[in-house]
Amino acid sequence: IAAIERALDDPALDTLHLLGHGAPGAITLAGTRIDEGLLESLQRRPAGKVEICLWSCRTAVTQSGKTFMQKLADVNTRELERISTGVGEFDRVLGGGYVGGQVVLIGGDPGVGKSTLLLQSLAHMSSEASAIYVSGEESAEQVALRARRLGLDSGSLDLLAEIQLEKVIAALDAARPRIAVIDSIQTVYSEALTSAPGSVAQVRECAAQLTRFAKQSGCIVVFVGHVTKEGALEIGRAHV
């Protein structure tokens, strides 16, 4: 509360946005419950002309405690920055390229060229943005040999040969790359689960954790997934 009051004392401040958890009229921020009564008391301060907006994961509340709602056509939008993959047809499939925080699943039969396509794309992108190739299918030496065979300029591309989810996320969090490829999602496992890599529970948990990282950090995360003859994503004995 003291930090909020100090912010409200700033004469140049017009609007104060606070992000917390909960529902309209009862949002928790840093362990403190902020409700309509507290909003009214803050608005009675000398610097009470500042509009306070409380944002939760579900809605927003203004200083009057009313739910913030607007017409879809009135929402301010901006053109998303597109990042080229370096492959024209790949860009076209993605709608012009990647966008920050995007999660993409590249599925296909084993040996169809998923890893080669993404390695070529990452090598191109790494010249302008930080990129990490997380290899669970092949060793670092195998990936390096493929890059040399393709004649790729991969001097700026980082490689991580790891399949433990917690170590992968820790490495990504430390490096903060613009894009990371997980090849493949079926090989990654979490120590929090006892099931084997590739099981339904493991793939679901690992995909959820990496997706959460992508959304929180703005990193583009690309999953490689094998599919069955029927075209379904292969996960252990289950198909998705």
Side-chain angles (χ1 to χ4, degrees), residues 168-194:
V168 170
I169 291 181
L172 296 179
D173 189 48
R176 292 285 172 168
R178 194 74 177 89
I179 180 172
V181 167
I182 311 297
D183 188 5
S184 67
I185 188 61
Q186 281 103 336
T187 62
V188 183
Y189 75 96
S190 171
E191 285 194 331
L193 302 178
T194 57

Short mmCIF file of all heavy atoms in Angstrom, two decimals, residues 168-194:
data_model
loop_
_atom_site.label_atom_id
_atom_site.label_comp_id
_atom_site.label_asym_id
_atom_site.label_seq_id
_atom_site.Cartn_x
_atom_site.Cartn_y
_atom_site.Cartn_z
N VAL A 168 16.05 -27.58 -18.85
CA VAL A 168 15.79 -26.85 -20.09
C VAL A 168 15.21 -25.47 -19.78
O VAL A 168 15.68 -24.45 -20.31
CB VAL A 168 14.82 -27.64 -20.99
CG1 VAL A 168 14.35 -26.79 -22.16
CG2 VAL A 168 15.49 -28.91 -21.50
N ILE A 169 14.21 -25.41 -18.91
CA ILE A 169 13.59 -24.13 -18.58
C ILE A 169 14.58 -23.21 -17.86
O ILE A 169 14.61 -22.00 -18.12
CB ILE A 169 12.33 -24.34 -17.72
CG1 ILE A 169 11.24 -25.00 -18.58
CG2 ILE A 169 11.82 -23.02 -17.15
CD1 ILE A 169 9.94 -25.23 -17.85
N ALA A 170 15.42 -23.77 -16.99
CA ALA A 170 16.42 -22.96 -16.30
C ALA A 170 17.40 -22.34 -17.29
O ALA A 170 17.78 -21.17 -17.17
CB ALA A 170 17.17 -23.80 -15.27
N ALA A 171 17.81 -23.13 -18.29
CA ALA A 171 18.74 -22.63 -19.31
C ALA A 171 18.08 -21.55 -20.16
O ALA A 171 18.70 -20.52 -20.47
CB ALA A 171 19.22 -23.77 -20.18
N LEU A 172 16.83 -21.76 -20.54
CA LEU A 172 16.12 -20.76 -21.33
C LEU A 172 15.89 -19.49 -20.54
O LEU A 172 16.01 -18.38 -21.07
CB LEU A 172 14.78 -21.32 -21.81
CG LEU A 172 14.82 -22.52 -22.76
CD1 LEU A 172 13.41 -22.96 -23.12
CD2 LEU A 172 15.61 -22.20 -24.02
N ASP A 173 15.56 -19.63 -19.26
CA ASP A 173 15.31 -18.47 -18.42
C ASP A 173 16.57 -17.64 -18.24
O ASP A 173 16.52 -16.41 -18.18
CB ASP A 173 14.77 -18.92 -17.07
CG ASP A 173 14.29 -17.75 -16.22
OD1 ASP A 173 13.53 -16.91 -16.75
OD2 ASP A 173 14.67 -17.66 -15.05
N ALA A 174 17.72 -18.31 -18.17
CA ALA A 174 18.99 -17.60 -18.01
C ALA A 174 19.42 -16.92 -19.30
O ALA A 174 19.93 -15.79 -19.28
CB ALA A 174 20.08 -18.57 -17.54
N ALA A 175 19.20 -17.59 -20.44
CA ALA A 175 19.65 -17.05 -21.73
C ALA A 175 18.66 -16.06 -22.32
O ALA A 175 19.05 -15.16 -23.07
CB ALA A 175 19.89 -18.19 -22.71
N ARG A 176 17.37 -16.22 -22.02
CA ARG A 176 16.31 -15.36 -22.57
C ARG A 176 16.42 -15.23 -24.09
O ARG A 176 16.55 -14.13 -24.63
CB ARG A 176 16.34 -13.98 -21.92
CG ARG A 176 15.95 -14.00 -20.45
CD ARG A 176 14.46 -14.18 -20.31
NE ARG A 176 14.05 -14.39 -18.91
CZ ARG A 176 12.79 -14.34 -18.51
NH1 ARG A 176 11.83 -14.10 -19.37
NH2 ARG A 176 12.49 -14.57 -17.24
N PRO A 177 16.33 -16.35 -24.83
CA PRO A 177 16.43 -16.27 -26.29
C PRO A 177 15.19 -15.68 -26.92
O PRO A 177 14.12 -15.62 -26.29
CB PRO A 177 16.62 -17.73 -26.69
CG PRO A 177 15.84 -18.47 -25.65
CD PRO A 177 16.07 -17.71 -24.36
N ARG A 178 15.30 -15.26 -28.14
CA ARG A 178 14.13 -14.78 -28.89
C ARG A 178 13.29 -15.95 -29.34
O ARG A 178 12.07 -15.86 -29.45
CB ARG A 178 14.59 -13.96 -30.11
CG ARG A 178 13.49 -13.15 -30.76
CD ARG A 178 13.16 -11.95 -29.93
NE ARG A 178 12.17 -11.09 -30.54
CZ ARG A 178 10.84 -11.22 -30.39
NH1 ARG A 178 10.36 -12.19 -29.66
NH2 ARG A 178 10.01 -10.38 -30.96
N ILE A 179 13.96 -17.08 -29.64
CA ILE A 179 13.26 -18.28 -30.09
C ILE A 179 14.01 -19.51 -29.60
O ILE A 179 15.24 -19.51 -29.50
CB ILE A 179 13.14 -18.30 -31.64
CG1 ILE A 179 12.40 -19.57 -32.08
CG2 ILE A 179 14.49 -18.18 -32.30
CD1 ILE A 179 12.07 -19.60 -33.57
N ALA A 180 13.24 -20.55 -29.28
CA ALA A 180 13.82 -21.82 -28.86
C ALA A 180 13.05 -22.95 -29.53
O ALA A 180 11.82 -22.93 -29.58
CB ALA A 180 13.78 -21.98 -27.35
N VAL A 181 13.78 -23.94 -30.04
CA VAL A 181 13.17 -25.12 -30.64
C VAL A 181 13.39 -26.31 -29.71
O VAL A 181 14.50 -26.54 -29.25
CB VAL A 181 13.78 -25.41 -32.03
CG1 VAL A 181 13.37 -26.79 -32.52
CG2 VAL A 181 13.34 -24.35 -33.03
N ILE A 182 12.32 -27.04 -29.41
CA ILE A 182 12.39 -28.24 -28.58
C ILE A 182 12.21 -29.45 -29.49
O ILE A 182 11.11 -29.71 -29.99
CB ILE A 182 11.29 -28.25 -27.49
CG1 ILE A 182 11.24 -26.91 -26.75
CG2 ILE A 182 11.52 -29.41 -26.53
CD1 ILE A 182 12.50 -26.57 -25.98
N ASP A 183 13.27 -30.20 -29.72
CA ASP A 183 13.27 -31.30 -30.68
C ASP A 183 13.68 -32.61 -29.97
O ASP A 183 14.87 -32.86 -29.79
CB ASP A 183 14.23 -30.98 -31.82
CG ASP A 183 14.16 -31.97 -32.95
OD1 ASP A 183 13.29 -32.87 -32.90
OD2 ASP A 183 14.99 -31.86 -33.88
N SER A 184 12.72 -33.40 -29.59
CA SER A 184 11.29 -33.23 -29.77
C SER A 184 10.61 -33.19 -28.40
O SER A 184 11.21 -33.54 -27.39
CB SER A 184 10.72 -34.41 -30.58
OG SER A 184 10.81 -35.61 -29.82
N ILE A 185 9.35 -32.80 -28.39
CA ILE A 185 8.61 -32.68 -27.14
C ILE A 185 8.40 -34.05 -26.51
O ILE A 185 8.28 -34.17 -25.28
CB ILE A 185 7.26 -31.97 -27.38
CG1 ILE A 185 6.56 -31.67 -26.04
CG2 ILE A 185 6.37 -32.78 -28.30
CD1 ILE A 185 7.33 -30.77 -25.11
N GLN A 186 8.40 -35.12 -27.30
CA GLN A 186 8.22 -36.47 -26.76
C GLN A 186 9.41 -36.97 -25.96
O GLN A 186 9.29 -37.92 -25.19
CB GLN A 186 7.92 -37.48 -27.88
CG GLN A 186 6.49 -37.44 -28.35
CD GLN A 186 6.35 -36.72 -29.68
OE1 GLN A 186 7.19 -35.90 -30.03
NE2 GLN A 186 5.29 -37.01 -30.40
N THR A 187 10.58 -36.35 -26.13
CA THR A 187 11.76 -36.80 -25.41
C THR A 187 11.96 -36.08 -24.09
O THR A 187 12.75 -36.51 -23.25
CB THR A 187 13.03 -36.58 -26.27
OG1 THR A 187 13.19 -35.17 -26.52
CG2 THR A 187 12.94 -37.33 -27.58
N VAL A 188 11.26 -34.97 -23.87
CA VAL A 188 11.44 -34.17 -22.66
C VAL A 188 10.63 -34.77 -21.52
O VAL A 188 9.51 -35.22 -21.72
CB VAL A 188 11.02 -32.71 -22.91
CG1 VAL A 188 11.27 -31.85 -21.67
CG2 VAL A 188 11.77 -32.13 -24.11
N TYR A 189 11.21 -34.76 -20.32
CA TYR A 189 10.50 -35.30 -19.16
C TYR A 189 10.71 -34.38 -17.96
O TYR A 189 11.70 -33.65 -17.87
CB TYR A 189 11.00 -36.71 -18.82
CG TYR A 189 12.36 -36.73 -18.15
CD1 TYR A 189 12.47 -36.79 -16.76
CD2 TYR A 189 13.53 -36.66 -18.90
CE1 TYR A 189 13.71 -36.80 -16.15
CE2 TYR A 189 14.77 -36.66 -18.29
CZ TYR A 189 14.86 -36.74 -16.91
OH TYR A 189 16.09 -36.72 -16.31
N SER A 190 9.75 -34.43 -17.05
CA SER A 190 9.83 -33.66 -15.81
C SER A 190 10.10 -34.60 -14.64
O SER A 190 9.47 -35.66 -14.54
CB SER A 190 8.53 -32.89 -15.57
OG SER A 190 8.52 -32.31 -14.27
N GLU A 191 10.99 -34.20 -13.75
CA GLU A 191 11.28 -35.01 -12.57
C GLU A 191 10.11 -35.03 -11.59
O GLU A 191 10.08 -35.85 -10.67
CB GLU A 191 12.54 -34.49 -11.88
CG GLU A 191 13.83 -34.84 -12.59
CD GLU A 191 15.04 -34.60 -11.72
OE1 GLU A 191 14.99 -33.72 -10.85
OE2 GLU A 191 16.05 -35.32 -11.90
N ALA A 192 9.17 -34.11 -11.78
CA ALA A 192 8.01 -34.07 -10.89
C ALA A 192 7.06 -35.23 -11.14
O ALA A 192 6.19 -35.51 -10.32
CB ALA A 192 7.26 -32.75 -11.06
N LEU A 193 7.20 -35.91 -12.29
CA LEU A 193 6.34 -37.04 -12.63
C LEU A 193 7.16 -38.32 -12.69
O LEU A 193 8.35 -38.28 -13.01
CB LEU A 193 5.66 -36.80 -13.99
CG LEU A 193 4.81 -35.53 -14.11
CD1 LEU A 193 4.25 -35.41 -15.52
CD2 LEU A 193 3.68 -35.53 -13.10
N THR A 194 6.52 -39.42 -12.40
CA THR A 194 7.22 -40.72 -12.40
C THR A 194 7.07 -41.47 -13.71
O THR A 194 7.76 -42.46 -13.93
CB THR A 194 6.69 -41.61 -11.26
OG1 THR A 194 5.27 -41.78 -11.41
CG2 THR A 194 6.96 -40.96 -9.90
#
